[in-house]
């Protein structure tokens, strides 16, 4: 395949690549499209019509599924931008509501815009009182991600006035409702598992403070949110808010491409995030560190991670896009020290173990050659555990943060003039057509 300048249109030279079928000798030209930053893309939309061939890319390692203006990742240089702003700047200077506004609207809010957005979100944090009863249908020991999937999907049975995806106003109402209610849904999943009563959102608290209050307050006494912990949680929500076309975001887009209602699409995203290779990794990291137990067992587990015959992988390490340090992991590590210091947990054994594991792995040729670095999930679990959040709730917190990213991507997909239902093709290797054999002739 060669990259040729098309000389037929002198006015606006259109870049293209040519594809030669070495069997027939036919040559095909495909347009080469450029974004604002990042790799160019070969526009293969005409490929099947022109060649009769499909592409083949399980896991979409080389496939762009859409055009987007929301998030950009440069995996080789460890860069993550949200609407052009570096994640480090947002984590240091912004808060989660500001970041949510940026993801949704495309620009940082003015003071007035931020105040209105926060007020609008704050006043949608309560759930319809009947949704209470959904929780009672679950076992107390149900995984909270199962509850999140169920309750988020069930919202479509309650909010009939925000299901019409062709109406921008209804899309925004549904968007605000989900951003506002997902912390309540999450905290109530935790309370239900403990047998404690649900705590209602408090309109005088900010997003992170409200979540901590609903998680840890009880009706029996006043609960004071630790401001250092709340700020750390707010920053962690920023770090998890959006991340290009990851598995769960692609799930939301694919569900939305069929016209499914917004609550069902976000419930699908929650289900995809649950997997240990994706958002479930933070829970898996804590379980892995607990299993490793001590520094002297690190070599044993690194050997298992490198053994092709052992399914064990070093959880919290590696990434499809980052072949350098995940910039979120660096901020997460700094936040981890900050929270543990605040809570008097400096020297926490799991943190010490995680830091030693990271040090050894980053010096190990296997990890160096395969460019496996800590990702966003490597330190988050240690912080959540220090905050008193149970391991089963770690991925739930990821879902709370990612909801705004899913929603921003879903809205962008709906508004995309090129949008159509997602329907991939395949390489079929099953039987060609064959004759049916009646049961009595099969012996
Ligand atoms: C998230 O996509 C996103 O952006 C996701 C996310 C987001 O914000 O949405 O960033 C959040 O999901 C972070 C990733 C969390 N998952 C984990 O920490 C689980 C452990 N990591 C691996 O499962 C893996 O690294 C993935 C799933 C994250 C990425 O897998 P890829 O891109 O399919 O890479 P791969 O499996 O092809 O690995 C390449 C090589 C393989 O060896 P070879 O076949 O080439 O010999 O690296 C090896 C893998 O065996 N490898 C690992 C490893 N990760 C990859 N070996 C040991 N331990 C690991 N963690």
């Amino acid at each position: 395949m060669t990259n040729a300048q098309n000389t037929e249109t002198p006015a606006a030279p259109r870049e293209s690549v040519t594809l030669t079928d070495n069997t027939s000798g036919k040559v095909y030209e495909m347009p080469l499209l450029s974004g604002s930053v990042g790799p160019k893309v070969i526009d293969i939309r005409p490929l099947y019509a022109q060649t009769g061939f499909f592409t083949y890319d399980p896991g979409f390692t080389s496939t762009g599924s859409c055009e987007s203006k929301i998030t950009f990742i440069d995996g080789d240089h460890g860069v993550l931008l949200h609407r052009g702003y570096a994640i480090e700047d947002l984590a240091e200077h912004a808060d989660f509501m500001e970041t949510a506004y940026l993801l949704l609207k495309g620009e940082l809010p003015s003071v007035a815009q931020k105040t209105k957005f926060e007020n609008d979100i704050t006043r949608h944090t309560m759930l319809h009182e009947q949704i209470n009863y959904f929780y009672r249908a679950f076992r107390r020991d149900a995984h909270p991600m199962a509850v999140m999937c169920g309750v988020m999907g069930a919202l479509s049975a309650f909010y009939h006035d925000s299901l019409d995806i062709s109406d921008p106003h209804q899309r925004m109402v549904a968007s605000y409702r989900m951003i506002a209610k997902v912390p309540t849904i999450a905290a109530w999943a935790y309370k239900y598992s403990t047998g404690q009563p649900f705590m209602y959102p408090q309109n005088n608290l900010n997003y992170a403070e409200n979540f901590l209050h609903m998680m840890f307050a009880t009706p029996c006494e006043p609960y004071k949110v630790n401001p250092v912990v709340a700020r750390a949680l707010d920053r962690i929500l920023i770090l998890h808010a959006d991340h290009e076309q990851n598995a769960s975001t692609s799930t939301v887009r694919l569900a939305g491409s069929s016209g499914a209602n917004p609550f069902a699409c976000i419930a699908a995203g929650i289900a995809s995030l649950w997997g240990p290779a994706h958002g479930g990794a933070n829970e898996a990291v804590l379980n892995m560190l607990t299993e490793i137990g001590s520094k002297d067992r690190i070599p044993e587990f690194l050997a298992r991670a490198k053994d092709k015959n052992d399914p064990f992988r070093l959880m919290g390490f590696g990434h499809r896009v980052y072949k350098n340090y995940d910039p979120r992991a660096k901020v997460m590590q700094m936040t981890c020290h900050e929270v543990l210091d605040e809570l008097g947990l400096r020297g926490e054994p799991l943190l010490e173990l995680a830091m030693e594991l990271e040090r050894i792995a980053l010096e190990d040729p296997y990890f160096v050659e395969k460019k496996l670095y800590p990702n966003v999930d490597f330190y988050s679990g240690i912080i959540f555990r220090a905050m008193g959040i149970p391991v089963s709730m770690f991925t739930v917190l990821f879902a709370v943060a990612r909801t705004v990213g899913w929603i921003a991507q879903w809205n962008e997909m709906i508004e995309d003039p090129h949008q159509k239902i997602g329907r991939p093709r395949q390489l079929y290797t099953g039987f060609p057509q064959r004759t049916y054999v009646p049961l009595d002739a099969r012996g």
Side-chain angles (χ1 to χ4, degrees):
M1 187 179 286
T2 56
N3 181 345
Q5 285 284 359
N6 181 315
T7 54
E8 292 167 5
T9 52
R14 186 172 65 93
E15 287 188 295
S16 65
V17 292
T18 52
L19 181 66
T20 303
D21 175 353
N22 294 321
T23 305
S24 68
K26 288 183 180 174
V27 178
Y28 305 97
E29 184 180 7
M30 299 286 150
L32 198 58
L33 308 179
S34 298
S36 41
V37 285
K40 296 178 181 178
V41 299
I42 301 171
D43 182 353
I44 58 165
R45 283 174 289 185
L47 181 77
Y48 180 58
Q50 285 186 15
T51 68
F53 302 144
F54 295 143
T55 59
Y56 181 65
D57 186 13
F60 311 118
T61 53
S62 301
T63 296
S65 63
C66 62
E67 177 183 339
S68 181
K69 296 176 168 51
I70 299 173
T71 293
F72 174 74
I73 301 170
D74 177 341
D76 293 331
H77 299 96
V79 173
L80 169 57
L81 307 178
H82 290 317
R83 302 289 190 177
Y85 295 98
I87 189 65
E88 294 89 343
D89 287 342
L90 294 171
E92 184 176 350
H93 303 298
D95 63 22
F96 182 64
M97 282 291 95
E98 196 174 340
T99 305
Y101 184 101
L102 174 67
L103 289 168
L104 277 177
K105 313 272 188 183
E107 295 293 342
L108 290 168
S110 65
V111 173
Q113 287 166 333
K114 182 167 184 276
T115 302
K116 181 180 186 313
F117 182 68
E118 281 181 316
N119 286 336
D120 289 343
I121 294 297
T122 298
R123 278 153 185 77
H124 281 80
T125 48
M126 281 212 292
L127 290 168
H128 188 293
E129 195 62 12
Q130 271 184 243
I131 289 174
N132 254 311
Y133 301 115
F134 270 96
Y135 287 82
R136 283 153 180 69
F138 291 98
R139 286 174 39 156
R140 292 280 181 179
D141 62 350
H143 194 290
M145 283 298 278
V147 178
M148 292 292 286
C149 291
V151 176
M152 180 60 77
L155 294 189
S156 57
F158 284 84
Y159 300 113
H160 296 146
D161 61 342
S162 59
L163 298 179
D164 178 358
I165 61 168
S166 65
D167 177 350
H169 175 69
Q170 290 196 36
R171 288 206 304 273
M172 205 40 73
V173 169
S175 301
Y176 278 38
R177 276 176 167 151
M178 287 187 279
I179 294 166
K181 297 177 193 311
V182 70
T184 311
I185 296 170
W188 286 14
Y190 169 65
K191 282 299 195 189
Y192 182 70
S193 73
T194 65
Q196 286 189 356
F198 294 148
M199 295 303 292
Y200 284 81
Q202 300 296 305
N203 290 352
N204 64 316
L205 299 177
N206 71 31
Y207 201 83
E209 292 167 344
N210 223 345
F211 177 74
L212 291 169
H213 176 267
M214 290 189 284
M215 280 283 292
F216 299 120
T218 68
C220 315
E221 58 188 19
Y223 174 80
K224 181 166 176 15
V225 175
N226 180 319
V228 174
V229 171
R231 175 62 189 134
L233 177 60
D234 188 276
R235 187 185 303 140
I236 292 170
L237 294 175
I238 292 172
L239 296 175
H240 287 80
D242 192 55
H243 213 238
E244 281 192 7
Q245 306 311 318
N246 57 84
S248 54
T249 297
S250 299
T251 301
V252 169
R253 279 179 172 262
L254 197 54
S257 73
S258 75
N261 74 71
F263 305 102
C265 295
I266 302 307
I270 293 171
S272 173
L273 186 75
W274 195 355
H278 188 16
N282 52 20
E283 177 177 349
V285 167
L286 237 293
N287 294 335
M288 175 188 73
L289 291 172
T290 306
E291 186 184 0
I292 293 174
S294 63
K295 292 179 182 179
D296 57 11
R297 293 195 65 195
I298 289 175
E300 171 196 338
F301 281 83
L302 286 184
R304 286 186 57 194
K306 296 187 276 191
D307 179 357
K308 285 293 162 238
N309 299 317
D310 189 326
F312 173 80
R313 285 196 166 177
L314 206 58
M315 303 315 282
F317 262 75
H319 199 276
R320 169 63 56 77
V321 177
Y322 289 121
K323 301 309 172 189
N324 198 321
Y325 221 99
D326 182 335
R328 302 168 296 175
K330 288 180 180 172
V331 181
M332 198 65 83
Q333 188 188 58
M334 180 266 291
T335 304
C336 198
H337 289 292
E338 193 180 288
V339 170
L340 295 183
D341 285 349
E342 169 66 19
L343 298 177
L345 297 171
R346 165 65 71 183
E348 210 277 347
L350 281 184
L351 174 61
E352 296 295 307
L353 181 61
M355 288 170 61
E356 179 66 1
L357 175 59
E358 175 186 359
R359 185 188 66 78
I360 297 173
L362 292 182
E363 292 172 355
D364 185 294
Y366 174 92
F367 289 86
V368 172
E369 283 154 25
K370 294 183 184 297
K371 299 182 178 178
L372 302 175
Y373 291 85
N375 58 49
V376 69
D377 293 302
F378 189 64
Y379 284 102
S380 55
I382 298 166
I383 305 174
F384 290 150
R385 185 173 177 272
M387 290 176 176
I389 294 166
V391 176
S392 63
M393 284 290 291
F394 290 2
T395 308
V396 171
L397 264 73
F398 196 148
V400 168
R402 188 53 58 89
T403 291
V404 67
W406 290 328
I407 286 170
Q409 299 271 353
W410 171 77
N411 276 295
E412 183 178 66
M413 183 267 303
I414 300 282
E415 292 158 9
D416 182 345
H418 300 298
Q419 188 268 331
K420 54 176 60 179
I421 188 167
R423 206 281 186 213
R425 304 304 299 270
Q426 63 180 10
L427 173 66
Y428 177 68
T429 55
F431 284 103
Q433 186 166 356
R434 50 182 173 163
T435 306
Y436 176 79
V437 178
L439 183 59
D440 56 13
R442 282 178 240 151

